Amino acid sequence: MIVEVIQRALHSSSKRVQSYLNEEYIITRPGASAGLWMSFLLPTAIILGAYSCHNVSELYRTAATLSLGLLGTSVVFIAKACSSKTHEYTLIIPSVFTYIRLYFYNKIGVWFSIAGGFASYSAGEAVILLLNAAPKSLTYGEASVLIQALILFLFTTAVNLVNTWHNIPVQCVNTATLILQVGILGVLLICAATCMFPDFRTPLPFYGLTLAVIFGFVVPFLHILLQASPILWILQLLLANMPRIWLVTYWAVCSGLAVLAVNVQIQGEQQASTVIRKYFHILAVAVFTPGLIRECCFLYLASGVVLALITALELLRVIHMPPLGEVLEAGFTVFADEKDAGPIALTPIYLLAACSLPLWLYPSICSEEIYVGQHLLPLMSGLLTIGIGDTAASIFGTWIGKTKWEGTRKTKEGTFASILCQMTVILMLIYFGHIPYSGVMLMRATFAVVVTSVLEAKTDQVDNLALPLGGRSSSSSSPQKMQAAGSTKM
């Protein structure tokens, strides 16, 4: 009964928000609802992480406070869109709360507290700006997740840079976090400059800008912060032992197979089916699993580097920058599905984010002193939901699915296959000793698997975003509480 009431309330609110967006002449992704519940997932995951982890870092507590503000802003913005009786002044309540908590509880100083309050206040309008900038690419909920992630990344990066100025990071994961934050910030600067100044959309100015940002900002700035060469640090990490070198070689082979598969599809000039696209999910599982088991910190660094690389490649495609612009456009054409109706190809970024999200949210789990088997299952939540569950649901639903869920094209047979395959992988990890067994852990893992599998069947949002965040939120209170939460990248 309670679930039905909540569903009806969300459905009604979703319709009102969608009507509000239509009145503002905002074109969201066709064939999908507003997805209001998506706007609560990322802040909730971070807040629950802060309260379910021991020894939470101060930076993570700061991110949790800002997440509270973002969560409040989402609630108030939706209330305003649904009812004309909501007063304008209510929009400032979450931002004032964020400022007060940042200043008195987190004690990060008046200027950072003001910036956090402003970031919380501006989140709602930033979502509208993003929807206007990328018509047909996003729903309201998906745009909210991206804006929240961007705000959290920029804010925690600024705080971390100031802290690092006085304290040079020592642990692998903290150094990797700093390198990734500055590197991704450099990529965002290139994207912003290219969007704002059309002169940078020709080859010579563009590549000149890229070299200037890399060697004029990213590398020198990191050298100052680390008091050492970031390039040499990465090379030393890469060449530290032979297993790591073999792992990188293995990743290179997997990447080559992915490029070959895309090239074959382009040459065949045939639209990729859903099953073919899911093969890339299986490849992601093959890439991430050995890294999570053996080289957590190195995988964390590599996933951030790949995020920056994919973002840069998408920029090349959008502005048709030679020599890769046309090839990337051809690949997008044959692999695009109904969720890629807009000008921006977000699916590859979503897939990477789905697999990497637990690492990005809780990187300190990878610290050598505390990284033990009981943390593998939380770190694999994205791989289980997307790499295993979503893939199984799609493939088996296509092959043997007959009984459809009401109001969707998804089948109950596919959902059952998703649950069965995820639980099989979990039991195999327990059997081989990678995850310590406990009855409570297995019950909570089963609950999370069932919730995400049903969510995959019922949602019309991008499942690569919805499932890992939903799974992470539903399994945050693990039986063995995570020992630390780190300086989140987002």
Side-chain angles (χ1 to χ4, degrees), residues 183-203:
I184 294 173
L185 189 60
V187 173
L188 293 177
L189 286 174
I190 295 172
C191 293
T194 305
C195 292
M196 294 172 63
F197 305 104
D199 291 341
F200 285 123
R201 298 174 193 174
T202 54

Side-chain angles (χ1 to χ4, degrees), residues 177-295:
T177 295
L178 184 65
I179 291 174
L180 292 178
Q181 287 177 331
V182 177
I184 294 173
L185 189 60
V187 173
L188 293 177
L189 286 174
I190 295 172
C191 293
T194 305
C195 292
M196 294 172 63
F197 305 104
D199 291 341
F200 285 123
R201 298 174 193 174
T202 54
L204 187 58
F206 176 80
Y207 289 114
L209 170 67
T210 302
L211 292 174
V213 169
I214 294 174
F215 296 105
F217 167 66
V218 174
V219 174
F221 191 37
L222 282 173
H223 202 290
I224 294 171
L225 292 172
L226 298 174
Q227 295 188 12
S229 170
I231 298 174
L232 288 179
W233 186 88
I234 293 174
L235 289 176
Q236 288 173 355
L237 186 66
L238 169 62
L239 303 174
N241 53 60
M242 279 305 299
R244 195 169 292 168
I245 296 174
W246 283 114
L247 179 62
V248 173
T249 304
Y250 168 71
W251 287 346
V253 171
C254 291
S255 300
L257 291 174
V259 172
L260 180 62
V262 172
N263 187 60
V264 169
Q265 197 70 32
I266 292 174
Q267 296 299 324
E269 297 182 349
Q270 293 183 345
Q271 193 70 21
S273 65
T274 301
V275 173
I276 289 177
R277 285 194 294 270
K278 297 305 178 183
Y279 289 154
F280 288 92
H281 291 213
I282 298 174
L283 191 61
V285 174
V287 167
F288 272 79
T289 302
L292 285 174
I293 294 175
R294 298 297 180 191
E295 296 288 350

Side-chain angles (χ1 to χ4, degrees), residues 61 93 97 146 156 172 266 368 372 474:
R61 293 184 188 277
I93 294 176
F97 167 80
L146 295 182
T156 54
C172 169
I266 292 174
E368 293 180 4
V372 289
S474 63

Side-chain angles (χ1 to χ4, degrees), residues 37-81:
W37 56 275
M38 288 278 289
S39 64
F40 307 140
L41 290 183
L42 180 57
T44 301
I46 294 176
I47 294 166
L48 291 178
Y51 286 99
S52 65
C53 300
H54 297 302
N55 303 324
V56 177
S57 69
E58 287 303 318
L59 184 60
Y60 197 90
R61 293 184 188 277
T62 300
T65 294
L66 182 56
S67 296
L68 279 170
L70 293 173
L71 188 61
T73 298
S74 294
V75 172
V76 172
F77 186 84
I78 292 171
K80 178 178 178 294

Side-chain angles (χ1 to χ4, degrees), residues 409-429:
R409 295 182 298 172
K410 308 290 181 68
T411 65
K412 295 182 179 180
E413 291 83 358
T415 301
F416 178 76
S418 172
I419 297 171
L420 182 61
C421 289
Q422 289 182 75
M423 292 308 302
T424 299
V425 171
I426 292 173
L427 293 174
M428 287 176 62
L429 291 169

